[in-house]
Amino acid sequence: MTTVATRLIARLRELGVEDLFGVPADYNLAFLDEVYASELRFVGTCNELGAAYAADGYARLRGAGAVLTTFGVGELSAVNGIGGAYAESVPVVEIVGAPSTRAADARLPMHHTMADGDFGRFERLHAEVTCDRVTLTAEHAAEEMDRVLRSCWEHKRPVRIALPTDLVHAPAPAPDEPLLPEVAPVPPHLLAGFRAVAAGLLAGAVRPAVLADHLAERHGAHEALADLVAAGPLPAAAMNMGKGVVDESAPTFAGMYVGAASAPGTRAVVEQADCLITVGVLISDGNSGGFTHAFPAGRTIEVGASETRVGDAVFRDLPMAEALAVLTGIVRDAAVRFPLPEQPPRARVDAEPHAPLTQAALGDRFAAFVRPGDVVVVEQGTAFFGVVDTRMPPGVTVVSQVLWSSIGYTLPAALGTCVAAPDRRTLLVIGDGSLQLTAQELGTMARAGAAPVVLVLNNGGYTIERAIHPTDAPYNDIAPWRYADLPAAFGAGDRALSRRVTTAAQLDAALAEADRNPDRMVLIEAVLGPEDYPGRLAAIAAKYRPGTAGRTPAAQVPAGTRR
C-alpha cells in the first residue's frame, strides 16, 4: 500500500534526492522509520542548521536536496540555511515533522509550540524564505506534495512540507504520472523573434564577450553555455557567484569579473565589449565589486532563467538553454574568429621553504593541488578571496556562498558535496572563525565515511573584518582552538589524518600526504599571520574602510562580512 510517507519518498527520488539530512525528533520518527525502510539514506547531523547547509551543498551537485527537521525548534534552527538556499537559488526540500492534525484542530498546547493554539506560525514564517509551502492534509496530501515539489524544481528555491504525525501511514494514491512533466517546446515565433533581434545586435560586433554567473548552473544551462563559448570561440568571464561555471582551463577564459576590482585584462574584455552576452547574472555588492560594474550601454544581451532581454525587447518564457542555443547558432554562422584574451602564465610564488607560511604561498600551492573533477568548497572570507583567482582545471565545481555569506556554511556544505558525489574529491578551504560555528559536523563527516581535504586557515580570528576595519579592538579575536586535534575529538579515529603546518615546506608535505590517503579525511591547519590578506581582498577592503573618502555606503559593504 502506498502511504503519504512512501509517496513523498518516491517523489524525492524523482528529483534525484537519494540522501536526507536531518536530526531525529519525536514528531518525525515515524517518517524516519519509513526512510530507513526505503532506498533513501538518512544522514544524521549534529544540528538542523548543519543539515540545511549540507542539503544546500548536496543540491548544488545533484539538482535538489532535502532536510528533515521537527516542528518549531528544529525548523527554526534550520531556517538560516533555508534562507541562504533561497537567496542563492538552491532547491532544497524541508520536511517538517509536525504535531497531529487532531492536536492542531483542537489547538492543544503541545511541546515545540507557543502554547497558544497557533499551529500555523512557523509556516507563515517560512513564507519569507521559501517559494512554496504546505501542511499536508488527509484529503489532498498527494496533489499538494506534488505541487510544492514542482515549485521547488521550477523556481530553484526551497520549499517547506509539514507532515503531521497521524498522516505518515495514511493511505495515498500511487503516482500515476511523473512528478516533472515534459517541457513544452518553445513556440517557433518566439525563437524566430529572438533570433532576429539578437542577430541584429551581434551582426556588427567585433569584440563580443560572455559574462556568466551561477544561475546558468542552477538552471541546467552549463552545457549550452559551453557550446556558445566554443562556437566563436568567445572570450568568457565569470562573476564571483559563478566561479567555475565556465571552463577556466580554456584559452577563452577571460578571468573573474568583479567590477573595478577585476584584473585590467578581464575588465577590458567585459566593459569594452561591443556586444556583451550575460548569462544568469545576478548583480549584488559582493558579485560586482561594490556595484562598480560597467556593462556596455545598449549593447547587452541578458539571458535569464526564463526571460531574455535585448535592449528594450523582452522575450518571456524563453528558457535559458533555448536562448543560448539560438545565440550559438548565430555566432557559429558568423564564422568569424573573435580575439581571445592573452593568458599570462601562472607565476609560482617563490617562498622560502622554512619561512612563515603566507597567503600567497598557500594560494599558489592550493592551485597546484586541485585536480580535474574536484569539488572546491570555499568559505566566503579570506578563504574565498585567496581562491577566487585560482584558475581551476576542467570539470571542477566550486561551491561558495557569495550572496548570503553565512559564516560557517561551508563545512556542512562540504559534507553535502561528499555525500552527493562520493566519487569526486571534495576540497574545503575555511577560515578558523567560520569553522568554529559548525566544527561538530567533522564528526558527521567521519561517521558518513566522507573523505574531504579540509584546509583550515588559522589566522587567529576574523581577518576579513580586520581588512575592512583595521583596529586593535579584540572583537575580531577568537578562542585559540587546536584545530588539528578536532577530527580525533569528534570521533574520526584512524579515518582521519591531521597536520599543523607553519611553513611552505610543511604544507607541501601535508598536501602530498593527502594525495597518498584518498580514503581518509585530511585536515591541514595552516597557520598564517593575522593581517596577511589575499591580494584581491586587500584591494576590495580598502574601499570600505570607515572614513575613506568616497567609500560605498554602509548598506553596500561587500559580501563576506560577518553580518
Side-chain angles (χ1 to χ4, degrees):
M1 180 185 74
T2 302
T3 65
V4 171
T6 58
R7 181 185 171 106
L8 178 54
I9 291 169
R11 288 310 207 188
L12 288 174
R13 289 183 58 80
E14 285 189 64
L15 294 180
V17 174
E18 297 181 353
D19 304 271
L20 175 65
F21 301 91
V23 177
D26 56 350
Y27 289 141
N28 64 34
L29 294 178
F31 179 70
L32 265 177
D33 287 340
E34 295 299 321
V35 170
Y36 271 89
S38 75
E39 295 181 351
L40 195 65
R41 181 171 74 143
F42 179 69
V43 181
T45 56
C46 297
N47 59 42
E48 292 87 356
L49 178 59
Y53 286 158
D56 179 302
Y58 184 98
R60 294 182 191 227
L61 269 61
R62 297 292 292 267
V67 57
L68 177 67
T69 73
T70 195
F71 192 77
V73 294
E75 57 185 318
L76 292 186
S77 177
V79 75
N80 180 41
I82 299 300
Y86 186 94
E88 303 228 341
S89 298
V90 182
V92 172
V93 180
E94 182 181 16
I95 302 168
V96 179
S100 70
T101 53
R102 293 186 296 273
D105 291 344
R107 299 175 61 86
L108 297 178
M110 302 293 292
H111 63 286
H112 299 337
T113 75
M114 304 298 186
D116 59 0
D118 184 354
F119 286 77
R121 173 179 280 108
F122 305 118
E123 182 170 311
R124 295 195 301 273
L125 181 149
H126 276 75
E128 301 296 333
V129 293
T130 60
C131 68
D132 211 338
R133 64 219 65 85
V134 67
T135 297
L136 298 179
T137 63
E139 295 78 14
H140 304 291
E143 53 264 45
E144 284 296 278
M145 74 170 68
D146 285 2
R147 176 184 63 80
V148 172
L149 292 173
R150 289 188 185 112
S151 292
C152 181
W153 186 259
E154 177 183 354
H155 299 292
K156 307 302 180 188
R157 294 191 189 274
V159 295
R160 175 188 185 268
I161 298 176
L163 175 56
T165 56
D166 56 340
L167 295 189
V168 172
H169 300 122
D176 57 1
E177 60 182 16
L179 175 65
L180 303 177
E182 291 187 10
V183 179
V186 180
H189 71 274
L190 180 60
L191 292 174
F194 170 58
R195 182 180 294 108
V197 176
L201 188 56
L202 277 164
V206 295
R207 295 189 312 278
V210 174
L211 178 62
D213 205 358
H214 67 298
L215 292 177
E217 186 76 57
R218 301 288 196 276
H219 288 273
H222 188 276
E223 292 184 4
L225 172 62
D227 290 343
L228 171 62
V229 172
L234 299 176
M239 302 192 80
N240 279 349
M241 291 182 71
K243 174 72 175 172
V245 75
V246 296
D247 183 357
E248 299 184 5
S249 68
T252 50
F253 182 57
M256 301 301 298
Y257 180 74
V258 280
S262 309
T266 303
R267 194 174 180 186
V269 165
V270 173
E271 298 179 4
Q272 296 175 20
D274 52 6
C275 181
L276 179 65
I277 302 171
T278 67
V279 184
V281 164
L282 172 69
I283 298 300
S284 68
D285 53 355
N287 217 24
S288 63
F291 305 109
T292 59
H293 61 290
F295 297 163
R299 306 291 300 175
T300 301
I301 300 173
E302 303 171 31
V303 182
S306 60
E307 177 181 288
T308 293
R309 294 174 177 268
V310 185
D312 294 331
V314 180
F315 299 90
R316 295 184 175 86
D317 299 321
L318 178 58
M320 182 181 288
E322 297 281 357
L324 292 176
V326 170
L327 294 173
T328 298
I330 295 171
V331 172
R332 186 177 290 128
D333 291 345
V336 176
R337 183 168 184 84
F338 299 105
L340 296 179
E342 294 184 5
Q343 301 294 342
R346 183 175 66 86
R348 184 170 178 84
V349 175
D350 292 326
E352 168 58 42
H354 303 294
L357 187 62
T358 65
Q359 288 274 3
L362 185 147
D364 180 69
R365 281 152 177 79
F366 180 80
F369 183 67
V370 183
R371 297 197 300 254
D374 282 347
V375 180
V376 176
V377 186
V378 56
E379 186 79 16
Q380 184 64 19
T382 52
F384 180 83
F385 287 100
V387 169
V388 67
D389 289 316
T390 296
R391 290 192 64 166
M392 298 297 173
V396 169
T397 300
V398 179
V399 174
S400 62
Q401 204 186 51
V402 174
L403 178 60
W404 192 242
S405 295
S406 184
I407 186 172
Y409 158 79
T410 52
L411 197 153
L415 165 65
T417 64
C418 287
V419 173
D423 57 330
R424 299 174 66 183
R425 185 175 69 160
T426 286
L427 310 180
L428 168 62
V429 187
I430 186 170
D432 50 354
S434 297
L435 181 136
Q436 288 198 6
L437 271 77
T438 51
Q440 64 269 40
E441 300 301 350
L442 288 169
T444 308
M445 285 180 169
R447 189 158 61 101
V453 177
V454 181
L455 188 58
V456 182
L457 310 185
N458 179 1
N459 43 28
Y462 302 123
T463 293
I464 189 168
E465 315 293 4
R466 293 176 179 136
I468 293 170
H469 183 46
T471 176
D472 293 331
Y475 49 69
N476 287 325
D477 301 334
I478 60 175
W481 288 13
R482 292 162 52 181
Y483 298 98
D485 293 344
L486 292 181
F490 287 118
D494 60 5
R495 289 167 292 180
L497 179 70
S498 294
R499 295 291 182 264
R500 185 176 190 269
V501 303
T502 61
T503 68
Q506 291 174 351
L507 177 59
D508 288 338
L511 292 174
E513 202 168 6
D515 266 337
R516 294 194 299 270
N517 289 273
D519 298 325
R520 299 170 74 185
M521 179 197 306
V522 178
L523 186 146
I524 301 172
E525 176 188 350
V527 180
L528 299 160
E531 295 183 359
D532 180 13
Y533 312 138
R536 180 66 69 92
L537 173 60
I540 291 178
K543 289 170 45 63
Y544 300 98
R545 288 173 183 159
T548 301
R551 66 186 177 90
T552 303
Q556 297 180 9
V557 171
T561 55
R562 179 173 171 80
R563 297 298 182 203

